[in-house]
Amino acid sequence: MLVRRESSSGLIGGAYRIVEPVGRGWAGVVYRAEHVMMGRMTSLKVVTSAGVASSDFIDRFREAAHLLSELSDPRIATIHDMGIEPPNRIYIAADLIEGKSLAAIIAESGPLPPQKVLDVVRAIIKGLQTAHALGVVHGSIKPSNIIISEEGPHIVDFAARRIISATGDEAFTTMTSFGPVYGEPAYLAPEQVKGAEVTAKTDVYGLGLLMYELLTGAKPFRMELPHLVAAAQVETPAEPPREFKPWLKVPKFIDVAVMRALSKDPGHRQGSAKDLHDELEGEIVPEKEPAAPGRPARAATRPAAGVPGRAKEPTKAPPRTEAKPVSPGEDEPKRAAAAAPDDAEAKAAAPGGPRLVLYERKKVRAVYPLAGETTLIGRAGECDIIIDDPSISRRHARVTIKQGRVTVEDLGSLNGTFINGDAVERGHVEHADRLSLGSVDLYFQDD
C-alpha cells in the first residue's frame, strides 16, 4: 500500500488527477480525484509538511499503512492507496462516498430528529467496533467525517490525525495551556488535549460530541478561540442537551448516554463503543407535559430564538460598512496595532449582533459586521465585505440573515466555501462556527 514515487505530468503520486476540492480540514485538503489509469473516482487527501522527509515519520507512516490495509467494513470508506511524494507531500486515497456529510446536513437543516440520530449513530458504532477490534482508533469523529449515502452512514478519514501528528509539524498544532495539540479542539477528547494515551474510549467521547451536535445543532463548547475550546474539553462539564435546548425534547435515555460519553475521565465513560450502542437500544416514547389539576394539558411551544422562554426583542441592524484588510504603508506600526487588537479591545469595539471575525495567532485581526439582510463577500469593490486575498474570488459568497437564521451561499467561487471544513453550496452557521473562504478562516459570532 505504501508507495514513494515522484510526481509526473502534474498528477498526485503519478496517478491521481485532481477534479475539485470537497473538504478542507485543520491539516489538509480532500479532493475528488480520478485515478487516470483505472478511470476510478476517489477521495484524495493531500497534506504538505517538511516532517514527511524524516525517517521516523516514514516508519510510522508504513506502520499505519499496514494496519489500515486490514480495515474493512461496509460502514467505513476503504483506504486503498497511501504514498509519500518527495520532497514534502503525502496522499491518502480512499473510496469516494457519494452523499452528504452530517456537517452539511446540520448546516442546511439544523438538528436531526432523535430517532434519526439513533439510526445514524448505531451504524457508526458498528463500524467503529470493527476498527477497535483491530486496535485502530479513529481519533477525530465529527460531522464532516460521516458521509450519508443511499446505503447509509460511512466513516471517512481514518487515521488521518495519527499520520499527521507523526510529522511533528507545529504548523498543524493549536497551542494550549496543556501544550500543542493536533486536530480540531472542538472534536478532541480530554486525553488528546493532555497528550495522554488514545484508546477506544477516545472514540466514545467523540461519539458523545457527535450526538450532542446532531441533537442540538451546536457543539457543547462554543468558545471563540481554539485554545479556549481545548481547555473546556478538559475542565468544563458540558451542559446536558435537554437543558441546553429543552424545546427539542431530547429523550432522557439519550441525554444520559451522551453525558456519560462526555465524561472527562475515560474510566467514567461507557466501557466500549458496544456498551454505548447497548445504552441507545431504548425505545423513544414521546414525553407529555403534565396538565394542571382540572385543566387540559397545553401543547408545548418553542420559545423565540435567544434566551429560552423569553421573547427576543427586535434589534436595529448597524449601518452597512465596507471592511478592507489593512495594507502596509507609511504608518505601518499604527496600522499593525489597529489591525491586531487583543481580544478585550476587540470585544469592546466590536458591534453587537452577527459578525465574522478574522484571527491571527490568537489575536483579532479584523471584525466584519453582518449588517442588513444580505452581505456580499469577495475581492471586488462592489462587495460589502472586501477581503483582498488571492484565494478569494471577486464575488465569493453571500451571507443572508432571515428570521434569525444565518445562511451562507457560495457564488461559484474558484476555491470553494467551507463550514467547519465541509464544502458547501449553501448552508447555515451558528455561533463559533468556522467559515472558510478559500484559504481564509473567519469565525461567525452572534452574542
Side-chain angles (χ1 to χ4, degrees), residues 326-384:
V326 177
S327 56
E330 296 179 358
D331 298 324
E332 180 60 28
K334 182 185 296 185
R335 290 175 181 269
D342 63 28
D343 290 340
E345 291 174 344
K347 287 181 179 180
R355 58 197 181 276
L356 295 172
V357 180
L358 175 66
Y359 288 99
E360 183 177 305
R361 298 181 181 274
K362 301 182 184 180
K363 300 288 187 180
V364 175
R365 177 71 172 80
V367 178
Y368 304 116
L370 298 175
E373 186 172 304
T374 63
T375 303
L376 183 63
I377 307 175
R379 289 190 294 113
E382 68 203 57
C383 294
D384 303 302

Side-chain angles (χ1 to χ4, degrees), residues 14-26:
Y16 298 96
R17 179 180 64 83
I18 298 298
V19 176
E20 61 181 348
V22 295
R24 186 166 73 85
W26 57 277

Side-chain angles (χ1 to χ4, degrees), residues 101-122:
S101 74
L102 285 178
I105 292 173
I106 295 172
E108 293 173 1
S109 307
L112 275 61
Q115 185 59 56
K116 179 64 174 178
V117 174
L118 286 181
D119 295 340
V120 168
V121 172
R122 287 168 182 166

Side-chain angles (χ1 to χ4, degrees), residues 25 202 243 246 316 337:
T202 303
E243 296 179 16
K316 186 177 180 180

